[in-house]
Each structure stands twice: as structure tokens, then as C-alpha cells.
Amino acid sequence: MKSLVAALMLLLALPALAKPLALDELSVAPLMNGQTIPPALVKTLAGKVVDLNTFLAGKPSVIFFYRGGWCPFCNSQMGQLKAIEPKLIEMGFQLIGISPDSPEKLNASMLSQSLPYTLLSDTELQAMQAFGLGYYSSARITERYMSKMKLDNLLRPTPDGDMRLVLPVPAIYITDASGLIHFQYVNPNYKVRAAPKLILTAASLVPQT
């Protein structure tokens, strides 16, 4: 009974905590250092719906948001993170990737890159909105990506009623065991990602309790 009540309270809280989707990548309002991870429902590789905070299980975490397995810059970053994951684990961190890809697409990414870390599906955009990273792609980008990349992402209506592709600005968040954000790197230029050395250095400065 308690778990049911907790789940209902979470569902009621989500709309109030979600940030509006930005009209473009330069207008996002991401969570900053000193804030805590808000509740957000995501899906596992098996398609199970879980609360992100519950899934993190109170462990220090390196969370990265990426556009999808179809993005070459994202795939390059995932490979770089794979290379430093053993060091992050040694430092006490878990590595979690979140994208709007479906669980099926996530499984394909896991297999193609032999990824050892966890990927979560944000098809409903709850995590990217909770973190303030979601934005509407332009009409040109929406048409280009949907046709050339063969994406199965659902298009969302803008305030003007246009149907657009919604993506997260690529980001890195490093939190302690309580979910407090100690470091964030958010860059609207999707071609530029945080260097592995920067991530390791930032993680090394997070207090371990």
C-alpha cells in the first residue's frame, strides 16, 4: 500500500517539476551545481518503467545525456566513456547514459559497442525535461533527421502547433550519493563533448561519504 501511495505521489509531482521544452538548443535552462536530481520516470533495457532516483540507488553517479545511437558524436563519446569507466568505478561512481532512444535501440547500441555500463530510455522526455535539457529541433533538422536517420522518435507539438523532433542538449552530470550535483557540462554545440580527463578530474573532487 505504501509503495502504491509513493508511486501516485511521484506521478503527481512530475508535471510540476518538468521544465518546458526550449524553443531551440540555445534556450535550455539546465540544472546547475548545487541542485539535486529531480524525480523522472525512465525505462530500462527490458522496458521496465523506473524512477531515475530509485534506479541510482543512492550511489555517486556520472550521468550523461546523449541524442541517440544514430548520432556519430554520441557514439564517439560513449566509446570514450567506456574507456574511463573502470577508473570511475574504482573511484566509487556508476556510469549511466540517458537518451530518447527506445529500449530496443538502446539494446542495439549496447551490442554494437559492447558497452558495459547502463543505458536508460527517455522516450517520454521526462528526464530531459526534469534536467532542463530538452528542446525542439528546427523544422529543417526535424525533416532531415527523420528522413535520413530513419528515426522512430515521436514528434511533439511546439507552442505554435508545429510537429518537431525533441532532443536533449548533450550533457554530463556528476552527483554524490545523495543526488546532489557537483559538476555539470552542458554544451548546445552537439559536436563538442566533455573531455574524459575533465570528467575524471571533476569526479575526483566529489566528496565520498
Side-chain angles (χ1 to χ4, degrees):
M1 183 66 179
K2 289 184 178 180
S3 60
L4 177 59
V5 172
L8 289 174
M9 291 179 65
L10 173 61
L11 289 172
L12 290 173
L14 289 173
L17 293 171
K19 296 186 179 183
L21 294 170
L23 296 180
D24 57 54
E25 64 271 31
L26 298 176
S27 303
V28 294
L31 291 180
M32 304 297 288
N33 296 345
Q35 295 183 278
T36 54
I37 297 178
L41 298 180
V42 291
K43 294 178 183 176
T44 66
L45 292 176
K48 180 182 178 182
V49 177
V50 295
D51 172 42
L52 178 59
N53 275 303
T54 302
F55 188 84
L56 295 178
K59 297 179 181 177
S61 304
V62 176
I63 303 166
F64 69 98
F65 283 82
Y66 67 103
R67 306 195 308 160
W70 50 270
C71 170
F73 297 95
C74 298
N75 285 324
S76 177
Q77 180 188 37
M78 287 194 284
Q80 293 175 350
L81 291 170
K82 175 183 175 180
I84 66 172
E85 190 200 20
K87 182 62 177 177
L88 291 172
I89 291 175
E90 182 181 321
M91 296 165 67
F93 290 90
Q94 60 182 341
L95 181 60
I96 307 288
I98 302 175
S99 82
D101 277 352
S102 65
E104 293 76 18
K105 291 289 182 68
L106 295 185
N107 275 291
S109 292
M110 295 285 289
L111 291 173
S112 65
Q113 296 202 60
S114 300
L115 299 177
Y117 50 79
T118 299
L119 297 181
L120 295 172
S121 172
D122 189 28
T123 55
E124 300 304 315
L125 317 183
Q126 288 195 14
M128 70 174 79
Q129 283 194 258
F131 278 74
L133 300 170
Y135 72 95
Y136 293 106
S137 297
S138 67
R140 180 179 64 85
I141 290 297
T142 295
E143 181 179 1
R144 177 185 173 190
Y145 284 5
M146 295 303 289
S147 60
K148 291 191 176 182
M149 304 297 184
K150 307 298 183 184
L151 303 185
D152 56 8
N153 301 49
L154 292 177
L155 301 185
R156 311 284 174 159
T158 68
D160 293 331
D162 299 325
M163 301 303 290
R164 301 286 178 82
L165 175 66
V166 173
L167 295 173
V169 169
I172 293 279
Y173 281 90
I174 301 180
T175 69
D176 62 19
S178 70
L180 181 68
I181 298 168
H182 287 259
F183 173 85
Q184 56 91 11
Y185 181 93
V186 181
N187 195 327
N189 183 348
Y190 67 86
K191 296 181 181 180
V192 181
R193 307 298 172 96
K197 186 175 181 180
L198 174 61
I199 296 170
L200 288 173
T201 300
S204 71
L205 300 175
V206 176
Q208 298 291 326
T209 57

